[in-house]
Structures are given as structure tokens and as C-alpha cells.
């Protein structure tokens, strides 16, 4: 489904279907996304163009390497890390989109949801262990959902906007189970 998507609106459990298709059984090596030329970032209220080297011609290759069985349904979640994907283009003062995307298929993953208060600013919520890091921004209501998190034990960190004056909050031993959603309910920042 082609279009221009605001990646910061795809948070708090909101996602966007990009494709829905039948694929023959066998080995799926990669998913390829061909980006359009209408990419931008807003900095201090001003829209800046984003160049996307090669992603507009040959496409952005996302490694999957998975065997697909006949008659099965697979849902691949492409988790776009906005913070790591927009870089300064050297001395030109421009910006480059170098997408950092994590792919998961939901088979061996779970999710974490909750809300962060106060909601007068946006926070970033991140879980991390020795092998995996997953993050998402809170939405306007303070809600977040980390989807496609591999089963395991994580440290969760909530980092509020610097202007808020609030401290980072950390929670240890957060357990994610396959096929389950862990609801952390409300996390209060001080």
C-alpha cells in the first residue's frame, strides 16, 4: 500500500499494513521495500528533505531468511527505528534516511504495552537484553506498545523528553513470553 507515512504516528500499538499477498512455500531470503522520493523530517517546525541513497532505485533490502510452509499465514512486523535512521549528511547540513529496521514474524515473540504519565511530552520506551533492543515512542495519550519482542528477560527504560525535567525510569527483570502481551499498565515518572 503505497503512501507517505508519518513514522512517529505509528507508535502506541498503531501499525500500518504495507502488503498482504500470497507467497509460494519455500525459502524467503529478504523483503524489499522501494521508497518513494517524498521523504522528509521536521526539525524545529521546519520540514527538511531526506535523501534516500539507493532505496528509491534498487529498494531497501530487509533480511528474513526463513522457510515458509504451505498453507500457513505469516505476519512480518517491520519495526523502524526512527532515532537511528536519520543522520546528518556531513557538512552540507542536509539529512539522509538510512533505515534501521528490525523484522520479526510474531511466531516466537510477545509484546509489552502500557502508558507513561505525565503525558505532556513524549517519552521513548526501550527494552534491552544481551541480544535484543526494541524501542518505541509514546503517543499523545502516553500509550506505548513494543511489538515483536523475542521471548526473554529484559531491562525496560523509559526516557522522557529532556525539556520535561523528569528522570529516566528503569525496571529490571521484565519477562516477555511467546504469544502473550505483558501489560505494565501505568508507569509514573518523577
Amino acid at each position: 500500500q503505497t503512501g507517505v507515512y508519518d513514522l512517529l504516528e505509528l507508535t502506541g500499538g498503531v501499525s500500518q499494513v504495507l502488503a498482504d499477498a500470497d507467497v509460494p512455500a519455500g525459502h524467503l531470503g529478504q523483503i524489499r521495500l522501494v521508497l518513494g522520493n517524498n521523504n522528509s523530517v521536521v526539525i524545529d517546525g521546519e520540514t527538511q528533505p531526506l535523501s534516500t541513497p539507493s532505496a528509491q532505485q534498487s529498494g531497501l533490502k530487509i533480511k528474513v531468511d526463513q522457510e515458509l510452509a504451505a498453507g500457513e499465514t505469516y505476519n512480518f512486523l517491520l519495526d523502524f527505528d526512527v532515532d537511528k535512521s536519520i543522520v546528518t549528511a556531513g557538512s552540507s547540513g542536509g539529512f539522509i534516511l538510512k533505515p534501521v529496521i528490525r523484522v520479526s514474524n510474531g511466531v516466537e515473540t510477545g509484546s509489552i504495552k502500557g502508558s507513561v504519565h505525565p503525558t505532556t511530552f513524549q517519552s521513548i520506551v526501550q527494552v534491552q537484553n544481551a541480544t535484543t533492543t526494541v524501542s518505541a515512542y509514546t503517543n499523545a495519550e502516553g500509550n506505548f506498545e513494543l511489538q515483536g519482542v523475542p521471548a526473554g528477560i529484559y531491562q525496560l527504560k523509559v526516557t522522557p523528553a529532556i525539556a520535561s525535567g523528569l528522570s529516566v525510569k528503569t525496571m529490571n527483570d521484565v519477562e516477555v513470553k511467546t504469544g502473550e502481551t505483558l501489560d505494565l499498565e501505568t508507569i509514573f515518572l518523577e
Side-chain angles (χ1 to χ4, degrees):
Q1 297 190 20
T2 60
V4 176
Y5 300 102
D6 182 341
L7 295 175
L8 295 181
E9 289 182 6
L10 298 177
T11 189
V14 176
S15 60
Q16 172 66 48
V17 174
L18 296 177
D20 184 2
D22 290 331
V23 178
H27 182 77
L28 176 62
Q30 65 186 7
I31 295 172
R32 189 181 300 242
L33 299 175
V34 179
L35 301 182
N37 57 6
N38 194 12
N39 301 298
S40 62
V41 62
V42 177
I43 299 174
D44 296 327
E46 188 174 323
T47 301
Q48 303 286 333
L50 283 173
S51 66
T52 54
S54 77
Q56 294 173 352
Q57 290 84 30
S58 62
L60 175 64
K61 299 171 193 171
I62 301 168
K63 188 175 178 178
V64 177
D65 282 332
Q66 181 175 340
E67 292 298 320
L68 303 182
E72 295 293 324
T73 299
Y74 296 88
N75 293 312
F76 291 98
L77 174 70
L78 305 179
D79 187 12
F80 193 105
D81 190 327
V82 176
D83 280 343
K84 294 178 182 172
S85 298
I86 299 173
V87 296
T88 304
S91 61
S92 71
F95 297 93
I96 298 174
L97 178 62
K98 289 189 172 181
V100 175
I101 298 176
R102 183 180 60 87
V103 64
S104 63
N105 69 10
V107 173
E108 297 176 353
T109 65
S111 61
I112 302 171
K113 71 177 186 175
S115 63
V116 176
H117 287 273
T119 61
T120 53
F121 52 86
Q122 197 168 42
S123 297
I124 188 165
V125 181
Q126 178 184 64
V127 291
Q128 185 172 13
N129 64 16
T131 59
T132 303
T133 300
V134 180
S135 63
Y137 282 98
T138 55
N139 66 14
E141 292 79 37
N143 299 322
F144 69 89
E145 186 167 350
L146 303 171
Q147 300 176 345
V149 181
I153 306 292
Y154 294 86
Q155 179 184 67
L156 181 135
K157 182 168 69 170
V158 180
T159 305
I162 294 172
S164 73
L166 298 173
S167 299
V168 172
K169 178 141 189 162
T170 303
M171 299 170 66
N172 293 313
D173 301 322
V174 175
E175 184 176 7
V176 175
K177 296 180 180 177
T178 299
E180 295 184 14
T181 299
L182 174 62
D183 188 348
L184 296 177
E185 298 180 2
T186 304
I187 299 170
F188 293 95
L189 300 179
E190 301 173 356

